[in-house]
Amino acid sequence: MSQSNGMTNLLWLQGASCGGCTMSILESGSSGWFDELRQFGINLLWHPSVSEETGEEAAEVLNSVREGRVPLDLLLLEGSVARGPNDSGRFNMLAGTGRSIYHWMLDLAPRADYVVAVGSCAAYGGVPAAGANPTDAVGLQFEGADAGGALGAGFRSRLGLPVINVAGCAPHPGWMMETILALTSKDLSATDLDTYGRPKFVANHLAHHGCSRNEFYEFKASAETMSERGCLMEHLGCKATQAVGDCNQRSWNGGGSCTKGGYACIACTSPGFEDAQNFLETAKLAGIPVGLPTDMPKAWFVALAALSKSATPRRVRLNATADHVVVPPGRTTAKRTP
Amino acid sequence: MTRITIGPFNRVEGDLEVRLDVESGRVQRAEVTAPLYRGFEQILEGRPPLDALVLAPRICGICSVSQSVAAAAALRHAMGTEAAPNGLLATNIAHAAENAADHLTHFYIFFMPDFAREAYASQDWYQETRERFAATRGSAARDALPARARLLETMGIIAGKWPHSLAFQPGGATRAIELGERVRLLSIVTSFRTFLERTVFADTLENMLSLSTADELDRWRAGRSGDFAHFLRLADSLALSELGKGPGVLMSYGAYQGADCGLFPRGIVGPDMVVEPLPLSQISEDVSHAWMRDCSSDPAHSNTVPDPDKAGAYSWCKAPRLSGQPVEVGAIARQTVAGQALIADLVAPSGTNVRNRVIARLIETARIALAMEQWTRALRLSEPFCAPSQEMPDGAYVGLVEAARGSLGHWVAVRGGKIERYQIIAPTTWNFSPRDSLGVAGPLEQALVGTDVGEAGARSVAVQHVVRSFDPCMVCTAH
Ligand code: SF4
Ligand code: SF4
């Protein structure tokens, strides 16, 4: 890895982003993200939200990388690449430089040892690419689920890797830092990425794993309206059985997760999640949810659901449609009522 | 006359370019450009209305709860329902946590590092300031970031995660808080109070809020440690109360919701310091200098259609006006409209400026920390947190809230169960507005005029102070 003074040079830019990925990573590190970076020998060359260099000094940092005067280990982009209008990139100019982020990325990406797309916008296009996609927004190496994007499907960074997609909207600060650190220590190789370029240490799990509502899921004891405690899959749109992420196995903001927060997983780690509609309602066909777990035959699912529903303990059934625990766990002496 | 372009303008949220015409070292004219357009309003058209709760918050990752709460308020209005009171309290707590986190992030990460720049190397306060506030290296960041992360644990309990949560619904909030969680919330709020009292103010919040005049603030400051007192000394040394004067009219939509929890009132206030009712119907948007096609100036009836080649345009930001005038929004407007004694005493003689904006933000932080404590105690744990959603009849609806940076409005028109139009006017849209069709400059454009840039030109730190004193959020601005 090209290093200056033994440090890893990291450059973080923002394209058509909301800044949320940055806001999320600022929660990383017990003594703050800046300290954490230093502890691992990472030199933040420039970051638009936090760096001292501004205006022409900042432009000079970018030019020094573009012209190869300063080696670049990690290039991170947060936000989608707005290619419009007409491939000019003018919907997203990098202020003061007269160049669009699109063109800056085309120049900078080949200079970097590794290129990381931070968040679903940079990975696949994300919310700016929703609907009619007014700005022709794409990800760095994907356009939705299709390989391509701003850099093209064939792009490889200097050390031979495709763009590493830390998907999520916003991604967990841990996903971002663990990816950065695994790259810094050269621990992450092409085989550690799934077919959508996501690190497998995140993508080998489902958001459903470890959900606090798993007991309700087992019995198909479902919440019917918002703020009830039951499983959110049958009526309230939960896609966590199809969406990758260890969301429910690690804590968000000191103990949360979407489903713990009382609302459905909207599959924000998946390409194209933004084009779904009615996010908190389950799409159904003949009363059966359309989006069943991908690796389970539908007939089995339906049969098991019917069976488990008939075996639902009273406690689970009643708690599912309450916003507080109405029946606490405990030995029941009464006969189960079906 | 020389024209200078400043960008990338960093340590703000999002993308910003500033162009200045300078003569004899003074700014004569300023043009403010929002160089990023994403098209959220276009993306929302034709969608089911509740989808706004997923998409609209993603306008901004720094005030996503504000965006959620504005969207939820507009949709609640469309449903004609009442939210569960607990849901509004929980929303207030989370919203206050976001706003307080924003004020902290602004002070420590975006704003103060400018005083640690080389340009001030000759000042007697430089060494101390550099050690404390240097961007990414100063000791203050090591204190502030963990305090911010701890405060945002509020979100883990109420909102599942931050940024971008779906917990804020027209009917309230999506999860009921249990007793243990209430205690955890109180302990988070207490940690935050401790951080404010030890590190920011070096005094109790009650003492801070009892200061009611500029003189009292001066006496309080003498010999005091803490980052706020440090800022006040810098502000004096650099005459920041004479820098970056705003346009004179201040507006607040009123902040935090619920029968007895509205904390800061709605209103406008001019140089005479008399608070007047806000004429909501007088809000308009002008696109004469925006890369946007002409449309109705009434946000309830307008669309957003980009026109990138439009002559005379220089920003993706539209120009909002109240009764035809540019107005300033933000903590300083909120606290002046609310009649906060100290802020009113500072604003009365000198209006809005770099110093007063920063003071207002920190005083507001103390106020909302106390409010968070009260709201948390006021939750009635056995009662519902969310009322059911209802059908949304055709019509035009509005949701108005205060984000950290000021007044935020979502205007939604529903037809046949779909969003027909969606218009957003964000705080920085007001503050960083371009000129209107009469050639009247936006608030920042006015505030920059007269700034002494001396020999430094584009490298002038004074310009950086003026711009950052507004705590601009550019991703919200053009959205
Ligand atoms: S991925 Fe989500 S959080 Fe990150 S920039 Fe995009 S919208 Fe914001
Ligand atoms: S709510 Fe979603 S993540 Fe939780 S158990 Fe049900 S399907 Fe799984």
Side-chain angles (χ1 to χ4, degrees), chain B residues 111-293:
Chain B
F111 183 74
M112 289 303 285
D114 283 325
F115 300 100
R117 294 173 52 114
E118 274 294 315
Y120 291 126
S122 62
Q123 301 281 348
D124 55 5
W125 42 258
Y126 177 71
Q127 265 319 322
E128 188 194 347
T129 305
R130 187 150 180 86
E131 274 158 35
R132 182 81 187 133
F133 292 106
T136 73
R137 291 188 308 278
S139 61
R142 274 202 303 277
D143 293 340
L145 287 181
R148 172 186 176 278
R150 172 80 171 130
L151 175 62
L152 290 171
E153 289 185 8
T154 314
M155 304 297 184
I157 297 173
I158 293 174
K161 80 179 221 294
W162 185 90
H164 305 324
S165 168
L166 273 156
F168 312 104
Q169 296 285 321
T174 51
R175 80 187 296 274
I177 304 295
E178 295 182 341
L179 179 57
E181 290 161 341
R182 189 215 313 260
V183 175
R184 269 156 57 203
L185 284 171
L186 284 172
S187 103
I188 293 167
V189 176
T190 306
S191 308
F192 182 53
R193 176 197 263 262
T194 306
F195 173 77
L196 291 176
E197 295 187 337
R198 277 197 196 140
T199 308
V200 178
F201 296 121
D203 201 351
T204 65
L205 300 189
E206 286 78 4
N207 281 350
M208 284 315 300
L209 295 176
S210 71
L211 301 172
S212 58
T213 65
D215 288 346
E216 282 174 30
L217 182 67
D218 276 348
R219 281 197 296 278
W220 173 86
R221 182 197 99 181
R224 188 169 300 272
S225 61
D227 295 324
F228 180 48
H230 189 90
F231 165 74
L232 293 175
R233 283 190 285 275
L234 300 181
D236 261 13
S237 150
L238 298 170
L240 297 182
S241 60
E242 281 151 42
L243 191 65
K245 197 169 171 50
V249 181
L250 303 173
M251 177 177 84
S252 169
Y253 287 158
Y256 306 106
Q257 349 167 49
D260 22 72
C261 47
L263 185 62
F264 307 135
R266 175 177 298 184
I268 54 169
V269 60
D272 57 3
M273 296 300 283
V274 177
V275 180
E276 312 256 14
L278 173 61
L280 274 180
S281 62
Q282 295 301 307
I283 292 173
S284 63
E285 279 199 295
D286 176 304
V287 295
S288 56
H289 292 78
W291 288 301
M292 296 291 168
R293 212 170 285 166

Side-chain angles (χ1 to χ4, degrees), chain A residues 16-21 78-80 118-122 127-128 168-171, chain B residues 58 61 163-164:
Chain A
S17 88
C18 76
C21 299
E78 161 184 11
S80 33
V118 178
S120 295
C121 291
V127 170
C169 180
Chain B
R58 288 177 160 85
H164 305 324

